[in-house]
Amino acid sequence: MRDQVLWRKTARITQMLAERLNIDIERALDLFYNSNTFELFNNPASGMQLQSDSYILTDLLRELEN
């Protein structure tokens, strides 16, 4: 069940990213999966999984700007 919840959260975040950057969902997935933010998200010890979708998106956008 945990995996399904994280999968849905990933889908929401990538959808938001695609809309924000006006890119297709595949490109958004690529950006998210290859980010430090995703590494943190994938590590339960980081606590990132508990953050809101908006918080994670903001963190990802900040990372992409640098």
Side-chain angles (χ1 to χ4, degrees), residues 39-60:
E39 286 184 36
L40 290 171
F41 179 75
N42 237 9
N43 179 0
S46 74
M48 183 67 85
Q49 296 172 352
L50 304 175
Q51 301 300 323
S52 71
D53 298 351
S54 296
Y55 177 91
I56 296 169
L57 177 64
T58 300
D59 194 59
L60 178 58

Side-chain angles (χ1 to χ4, degrees), residues 6-59:
L6 293 178
W7 183 84
R8 288 184 185 120
K9 190 169 189 74
T10 298
R12 288 191 307 268
I13 293 165
T14 54
Q15 181 65 41
M16 292 166 56
L17 180 64
E19 290 171 4
R20 178 72 66 93
L21 298 180
N22 197 30
I23 58 176
D24 61 45
I25 196 71
E26 290 83 10
R27 177 70 176 134
L29 279 168
D30 183 53
L31 289 172
F32 187 42
Y33 285 158
N34 291 299
S35 69
N36 291 327
T37 302
F38 185 73
E39 286 184 36
L40 290 171
F41 179 75
N42 237 9
N43 179 0
S46 74
M48 183 67 85
Q49 296 172 352
L50 304 175
Q51 301 300 323
S52 71
D53 298 351
S54 296
Y55 177 91
I56 296 169
L57 177 64
T58 300
D59 194 59

